[in-house]
Structure formats: C-alpha cells, structure tokens
Amino acid sequence: MTYTPFFLHGETRPGPWLITCDHATNVVPPDVAGGDLGLHRTDMERHIAYDPGAYGVARELGVLLDGPVLAANFSRLVIDPNRGPDDPTLLMKLYDGSIIPANRHADDIEIERRMDMCYRPYDAELARMTALPHTVVVSMHSFTRQLRGRDPRPWDIGVLYAEDDRLARPLITLLQAEGDLCVGDNAPYSGHLPGDAIHRHATRLGRPNVLIEIRNDLIADTEGQNHWARRLAPALKQALELSAL
C-alpha cells in the first residue's frame, strides 16, 4: 500500500470552515526507521506520539460544519507539522520522560528526508486549502490530563490563539457560559508559537482561526468524540456570528 502523508475529507463541502488535525495519527511511515521509532507500543499510544481522539472530533466537526477536514498521517515524533522548520522541537528526541530511539542520532539529512516525505506535502495541502480568503481555520488537538511528574491539569477544554483572537474570544465566552466546563484561556498551552501551522496558514494570511485542545480522556471513544463535536459546532457557528467576520 502506498503511503500518504495526509487525509482530506469533504474537499467539496461548501462551508467556510477548514478543520485541521496536525497530530491525527501515530503512523510511522515504512521509510522512517523501518516503520518503528523504537518505542514500546504503550508509548506510541500516548499523547507523545499523536493527539488521541482529536481526529475523530475533527471528522465529525467537518460534517456538522459542512467544511473539509485535513489531517496529517504521521506521528508528531516522526516530524511535527505544527512546528516551524527552524523550531528546535520539530524533531523530538525526548518527550514527557520517553527517549525516542530512532530520533537520538537523526542528523540534518534525516530531518530533511522526513520533511520531504511528510511535513512538506501536508504543509503544501494546508496552503492550498487556506488559499481562499473566506476560509475559517479550526485546528483540533487533544492534551493529556497529567504530564509525568506534574500536577493534574484542571481544564476540560482549552481555546488557544495568538494575536488574532477574533474567533477565540467569543468562543471562550460561549463555552464558559455553559457552566459545566473548565475552559482554558490560552491554556494548557499558549497559542503564541511563531512558525506553527496556524501562524503559517491562518494568522499570517489574516484568516480567522482558533486552536482547540480537548482533554484526551474525554474523547477516548467515538461516543465522546461525537459528543464534543456536537457541542462545539453550534458554539463555533455562534462565535463566528458574534465576531462579525
């Protein structure tokens, strides 16, 4: 079977939304270390390798918003498509207490090879899909409840943004108003990450955008993924209306 570095669902859907999922799968292409980074399978199933549950939410959200869904089909440990080419975390050698054996001695030539195989095709498709000026970008991610040696995180969902908070601000307000969620405002991470996918393909182009992080135990199965998609879709539509974009 021929390897493909990304999946595109519903390309012809007419809605203004583009749903992206940078860390959709934990796939290691056969041409990268023989398809095995040297990690135990339990590590490859953890958040260090991909964003568990995020792809399912993204696919259902695309259906509900009538917009296309673009998802990367390679583990973030192969090369991280949500990092700029010059970011030191583009290729992780140690992540949340786990050493990645196949990355320990990866040199610039190997990084470029992985960029050509995975990163650049996905990045080019992102560029193509955000070329229309009316595009609204929603980047779906998930986060782990607790990093090793750290306190548990209190949030159910995080809404991330950088300098363009036109969509994020009303979305945060709407989610907080629901009353039963702990909503992170630029948490558990900051949306200020120069050179990341949102910066390259949305903020820099003036496209309205938001990055959403859902705690991964809440979206561990199809039922949870569909529940959160159904919860987010009307909130996103209303946030877009309130932002007057």
Side-chain angles (χ1 to χ4, degrees):
M1 183 180 295
T2 303
Y3 170 72
T4 179
F6 61 84
F7 299 118
L8 180 60
H9 306 278
E11 181 178 2
T12 60
R13 291 172 185 158
W17 306 89
L18 171 65
I19 316 302
T20 67
C21 194
D22 301 323
H23 303 143
T25 78
N26 57 1
V27 168
V28 180
D31 289 339
V32 174
D36 188 344
L37 296 176
L39 282 169
H40 193 277
R41 192 65 207 172
T42 55
D43 264 337
M44 288 302 296
E45 295 293 340
R46 291 205 302 133
H47 67 98
I48 66 171
Y50 73 125
D51 282 355
Y55 189 20
V57 177
R59 290 198 306 269
E60 182 65 15
L61 201 54
V63 172
L64 296 173
L65 294 176
D66 205 17
V69 178
L70 177 63
N73 184 33
F74 50 94
S75 171
R76 70 199 306 166
L77 298 179
V78 170
I79 201 85
D80 195 332
N82 194 35
R83 297 293 184 269
D86 299 323
D87 193 303
T89 64
L90 177 69
L91 183 73
M92 296 292 283
K93 300 184 178 185
L94 173 68
Y95 194 175
D96 195 22
S98 294
I99 295 171
I100 297 88
N103 291 355
R104 290 184 67 180
H105 304 295
D107 57 15
D108 289 345
I109 293 174
E110 175 62 12
I111 291 172
E112 279 298 307
R113 200 175 70 85
R114 296 187 194 186
M115 292 279 282
D116 285 342
M117 187 187 316
C118 301
Y119 184 108
R120 291 189 176 106
Y122 176 68
D123 196 64
E125 191 67 6
L126 262 176
R128 186 179 76 86
M129 295 301 294
T130 54
L132 293 176
H134 69 269
T135 304
V136 182
V137 181
V138 178
S139 183
M140 284 303 314
H141 294 255
S142 70
F143 67 94
T144 185
R145 182 178 181 83
Q146 186 171 15
L147 294 168
R148 289 177 175 173
R150 305 285 185 88
D151 292 333
R153 291 160 160 169
W155 306 284
D156 301 304
I157 185 170
V159 178
L160 278 58
Y161 54 91
E163 58 268 26
D164 184 355
D165 62 356
R166 293 173 293 172
L167 189 59
R169 281 292 172 201
L171 181 61
I172 290 170
T173 299
L174 290 165
L175 292 174
Q176 288 175 335
E178 294 184 14
D180 62 339
L181 294 176
C182 183
V183 182
D185 183 337
N186 248 353
Y189 315 105
S190 169
H192 295 271
L193 189 61
D196 70 358
I198 284 286
H199 178 262
R200 296 193 308 272
H201 298 290
T203 307
R204 187 176 60 83
L205 301 174
R207 308 290 187 258
N209 65 85
V210 66
L211 191 152
I212 297 173
E213 294 266 5
I214 303 174
R215 205 176 73 219
N216 60 27
D217 61 303
L218 300 175
I219 51 175
D221 56 25
T222 301
E223 182 180 356
Q225 293 157 20
N226 290 344
H227 166 80
W228 276 91
R230 289 192 298 267
R231 191 165 193 172
L232 283 170
L236 283 163
K237 290 178 182 178
Q238 191 174 355
L240 186 62
E241 291 174 2
L242 290 170
S243 67
L245 291 168

